[in-house]
Amino acid sequence: TPAEAALFGRSLSWLSEWYAHPSTLVLKVTALPEGYPAGFTFGAGTTPNQAQYYDRGWCFCESSLSNLVKIYDAVLDLALLPIDDQELLEESG
């Protein structure tokens, strides 16, 4: 909606604060889900972005900002966690 677009535009100018602040935790999702984009729904006239994480400009920017100012364990790459889908399902169910 136009109201949502306006709010999104306002929020963009503050996003770097989250990534550059030394006291926030950053969770990076650097891997696309297996089989992506199959099984996902996209709006009419849009196409899924299938670029890898570090090939995307904003992702590279937020990752760089975070890594510059945070201690190493405040920036987590979720794709590197050693938990498989089955383990996660068993723990949550």
Side-chain angles (χ1 to χ4, degrees):
T1 67
E4 291 172 327
L7 286 172
F8 178 73
R10 285 179 53 200
S11 68
L12 282 178
S13 65
W14 291 97
L15 280 178
S16 63
E17 295 292 325
W18 289 100
Y19 296 104
H21 195 284
S23 297
T24 59
L25 177 66
V26 172
L27 304 175
K28 299 189 298 186
V29 183
T30 59
L32 296 170
E34 189 174 322
Y36 179 83
F40 290 82
T41 304
F42 301 93
T46 63
T47 57
N49 183 347
Q50 297 184 58
Q52 296 300 310
Y53 183 85
Y54 290 104
D55 293 336
R56 299 172 185 228
W58 180 246
C59 294
F60 178 79
C61 176
E62 63 194 25
S63 179
S64 298
L65 278 170
S66 298
N67 290 328
L68 278 171
V69 299
K70 297 180 184 300
I71 58 175
Y72 73 95
D73 59 353
V75 181
L76 304 176
D77 184 346
L78 298 181
L80 300 177
L81 292 177
I83 298 175
D84 65 30
D85 293 340
Q86 189 58 41
E87 273 185 70
L88 191 59
L89 289 172
E90 289 170 3
E91 288 176 14
S92 66

